[in-house]
Amino acid sequence: MDKLKIVEKFGSNYALIELTGVINSYTCGELKQKVLSLVLDTNVVLDLSKVEAIDSSGIGIIMAAFNDAEDSGLKLYMMNPSIPVKQAVEDTGFSDTFYFIRSVTEVV
């Protein structure tokens, strides 16, 4: 069965969520709860460098969180997306929509 490990860390103006494993309809419940609550209060950085696979439900959660952050005057960043994540984002046509960063020092 697929697994997703979620680690939260906090900086001065952001919450960092490190994700490891697979983001799909079976694993995304906890991620959805965490990210959708955080984007209402602070900038959120999703470290996607260790994500092995992501499906449409995972992309949907990220898109919803992105929109909620924008509505709150905050930002959701995708940091160092893995090749499967890059491919999934490109396949949706939203690659120009998201904020991509390489380091938390880029959070504004």
Side-chain angles (χ1 to χ4, degrees), residues 24-62:
N24 62 28
S25 58
Y26 299 107
T27 64
C28 66
E30 183 182 0
L31 173 63
K32 180 178 181 180
Q33 181 182 12
K34 285 185 187 296
V35 75
L36 290 179
S37 64
L38 286 170
V39 296
L40 301 176
D41 298 321
T42 189
N43 295 308
V44 174
V45 178
L46 298 177
D47 180 349
L48 301 164
S49 61
K50 296 178 184 168
V51 172
E52 300 164 10
I54 186 169
D55 71 4
S56 59
S57 60
I59 294 292
I61 289 169
I62 293 171

Side-chain angles (χ1 to χ4, degrees), residues 2-31:
D2 296 329
K3 292 187 179 183
L4 178 63
K5 180 180 175 187
I6 301 171
V7 176
E8 290 179 75
K9 297 179 181 177
F10 295 90
S12 59
N13 65 336
Y14 64 88
L16 171 64
I17 301 176
E18 297 174 341
L19 302 168
T20 304
V22 175
I23 304 172
N24 62 28
S25 58
Y26 299 107
T27 64
C28 66
E30 183 182 0
L31 173 63

